[in-house]
Amino acid sequence: MEGGGLRLFFALPLPAELREALDRWQRAQPGTRGWSRPEGLHLTLAFLGERPVEALPTLLGLAAAVADRHGTFGLRAAGLGGFPKLDPVRVLWLGLDPCPALETLAADLRGALTAAGEAFDLKPFHPHLTLARFRRARAMTAFAPPPPAAFTADRLVLFESRPGGGYTPLGTWNLRRV
Ligand code: 2AM
């Protein structure tokens, strides 16, 4: 890809206290492989995949405009879920209680990407926090209930997913204080 490609996605980052609580919970569960790095836990709004660096100015501009149209809102974690099915589970995630403000933000962002001609994964928005990606599916009974978690979504972030693992924020935009 000319100028080098970047693997990109837009997400809401999690506050440090919640990442730490989930880290403690992860460490108390059986098995050491496959768990998400606690510092990288996030809620994906739109996954763009590989994009040329030349796309960045457009993406940074549209994200600033989207963030400016939305206020902060509260989110509450619901129970554990799984992809591609619940039990045995391969991708283990924490679901979220339904939140109209979250749906509206994701729809606005995806609409802005479409309007700008920027491609993204068109799978329907299914808000979740991925806690683990296991090589071999595991029984749900292995896991204790996760900690109760409520937090405020206050920032939109464009992340680069690095080839060696880990995520780098390339842009951060505060949602309006309400
Ligand atoms: P996941 O947590 O369900 O795997 C970075 O990969 C982020 O983008 C993850 O949160 C991941 O969701 C999400 N994502 C959405 N669609 C994706 C896709 N087609 N490929 C990789 N990641 C995707």
Side-chain angles (χ1 to χ4, degrees), residues 13-45:
L14 302 190
E17 313 82 69
L18 178 52
R19 284 188 274 110
E20 284 157 17
L22 291 171
D23 183 34
R24 283 193 295 276
W25 178 84
Q26 285 177 328
R27 288 172 191 278
Q29 306 314 303
T32 52
R33 285 168 179 257
W35 295 101
S36 303
R37 297 182 195 185
E39 67 274 13
L41 289 169
H42 62 268
L43 169 54
T44 297
L45 298 178

Side-chain angles (χ1 to χ4, degrees), residues 7 9 42 44 47 83 121 123 128 130 133 167:
R7 190 175 161 85
F9 63 98
H42 62 268
T44 297
F47 178 79
F83 292 143
D121 189 314
K123 279 200 290 292
H128 64 277
T130 297
R133 294 179 182 82
Y167 307 123

Side-chain angles (χ1 to χ4, degrees), residues 74-79 95-99 148-151:
L75 286 169
R76 185 180 297 276
L96 293 161
D97 279 349
C99 173
F151 62 103

Side-chain angles (χ1 to χ4, degrees), residues 95-109:
L96 293 161
D97 279 349
C99 173
L102 172 62
E103 298 290 333
T104 306
L105 173 61
D108 190 13
L109 175 64

